[in-house]
């Protein structure tokens, strides 16, 4: 992977950090695209809400049923899982057997071929959103769970004005950061002047994803779930290592310029750079809105009834208690943001 980036820099000079990140994650030997590349799960490189257990998908299934009813029970009712990874969310949604199942067309969108190979056979598995609804006539729900944080972004650095970070080769052959001339990255209301060395992400591609996903919807909703902040300027006021992170083997990785292709690169998403949503909640509030507490109580009841001779189903029901604790944790997954756009 390093050679692909080295050759590009040697041929054309320093590249924007956004381009470096794109190749590091999605290039020919990128973290997600190479054989045996990065994945979610306890044996993977990071844990997302669906990997905690099936409860997240069961709650989402309730949301899907509510949207299906709101739209008048359309058939087909298309559910798009954007950035589906190995298909864990798809499995839990299908296992929950929502009321809309008979009308549901489930499409798992994943750029990584090795990840697509792991998708359930009962879903449509495609590589890009362009394959979902070419004519922009989709009726249903698009879900992007922890996708936007992995979309390449520009990196702004304050040094006598905001400058864009580029990546070059140092004299020792390592990747180094160089800065552009001062520029006006976003409106001053979003990103005012800041102390020397402050940094902030500019998530143009995340904004474009939201615009393009909404354009596919004739009727329905887009739901984005991710870690982030409502205010870009708050990131500039924090140490950049707090919000620009790398992961490998379920642990924090190295500096973001080190060993491209061997570690994930991710960012806290500044939601004020996205199109204005119809609503924003924490993940905890969203899951409670759609019945996680009822599902946990059902799990307690079934476990209590079968605890003397528990079977597999009783064990699954019991796990809802610990899953809910993780999903609602105000210092973790529960503090993620959920934005909804409806049409």
């Amino acid at each position: 992977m390093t050679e692909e980036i080295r050759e590009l820099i040697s041929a054309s000079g320093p590249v924007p950090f956004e381009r470096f990140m794109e190749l590091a994650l999605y290039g020919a030997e990128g973290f997600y695209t190479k054989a045996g590349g990065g994945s979610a799960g306890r044996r993977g490189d990071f844990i997302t809400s669906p990997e905690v257990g099936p409860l997240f998908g069961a709650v989402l299934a309730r949301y899907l049923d509510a949207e299906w009813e709101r739209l008048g029970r359309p058939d087909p009712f298309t559910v798009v899982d954007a950035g589906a990874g190995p298909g864990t969310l798809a499995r839990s949604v299908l296992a929950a057997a929502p009321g809309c199942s008979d009308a549901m067309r489930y499409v798992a969108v994943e750029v990584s071929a090795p990840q697509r190979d792991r998708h359930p056979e009962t879903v449509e598995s495609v590589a890009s959103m362009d394959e979902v609804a070419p004519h922009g006539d989709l009726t249903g729900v698009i879900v992007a769970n922890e996708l936007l944080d992995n979309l390449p972004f520009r990196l702004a650095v304050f040094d006598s004005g905001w400058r864009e970070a580029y990546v070059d080769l140092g004299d020792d052959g390592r990747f180094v950061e160089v800065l552009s001339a001062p520029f006006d990255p976003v409106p001053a209301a979003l990103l005012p002047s800041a102390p020397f060395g402050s940094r902030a992400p500019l998530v143009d591609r995340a904004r474009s994803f939201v615009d393009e996903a909404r354009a596919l919807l004739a009727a329905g909703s887009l739901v984005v779930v991710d870690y982030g902040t409502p205010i870009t300027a708050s990131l500039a006021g924090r140490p950049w290592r707090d919000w620009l992170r790398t992961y490998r083997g379920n642990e924090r990785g190295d500096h973001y310029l080190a060993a491209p292709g061997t570690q994930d690169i991710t960012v806290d998403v500044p939601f004020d750079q996205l199109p204005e949503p119809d609503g924003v909640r924490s993940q905890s509030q969203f899951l409670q809105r759609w019945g996680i507490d009822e599902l946990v109580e059902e799990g307690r009841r079934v476990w209590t009834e079968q605890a003397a001779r528990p079977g597999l189903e009783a064990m699954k029901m019991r796990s809802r208690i610990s899953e809910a604790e993780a999903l609602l944790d105000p210092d973790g997954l529960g503090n993620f943001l959920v934005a909804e756009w409806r049409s």
Side-chain angles (χ1 to χ4, degrees), residues 300-317:
R300 290 183 194 274
R301 177 181 55 78
V302 172
W303 172 252
T304 299
E305 292 172 353
Q306 302 182 24
R309 301 183 64 181
L312 179 59
E313 186 61 27
M315 296 296 291
K316 289 180 179 179
M317 286 292 183

Side-chain angles (χ1 to χ4, degrees), residues 111-186:
V111 67
S112 167
Q115 300 271 30
R116 291 198 305 275
D117 289 342
R118 298 167 63 185
H119 287 176
E121 294 182 358
T122 52
V123 307
E124 294 181 36
S125 179
V126 300
S128 73
M129 294 290 287
D130 294 339
E131 302 175 63
V132 175
H135 305 296
D137 55 359
L138 185 153
T139 296
V141 176
I142 300 173
V143 179
N145 180 63
E146 292 195 51
L147 169 65
L148 300 194
D149 63 271
N150 271 142
L151 297 182
F153 59 91
R154 293 188 294 151
L155 183 58
V157 181
F158 197 83
D159 179 3
S160 301
W162 287 105
R163 302 171 185 265
E164 185 171 356
Y166 281 67
V167 180
D168 200 359
L169 289 171
D171 293 338
D172 61 359
R174 297 181 182 181
F175 295 110
V176 297
E177 190 174 85
V178 295
L179 301 179
S180 72
F183 76 124
D184 183 15
V186 294

Side-chain angles (χ1 to χ4, degrees), residues 55 59 62 287-301 317 320:
L55 182 58
V59 178
R62 288 187 164 208
L287 295 178
Q288 289 170 328
R289 167 70 179 83
W290 295 108
I292 189 171
D293 293 335
E294 295 173 19
L295 291 173
V296 171
E297 285 308 308
E298 179 188 22
R300 290 183 194 274
R301 177 181 55 78
M317 286 292 183
R320 287 182 178 181

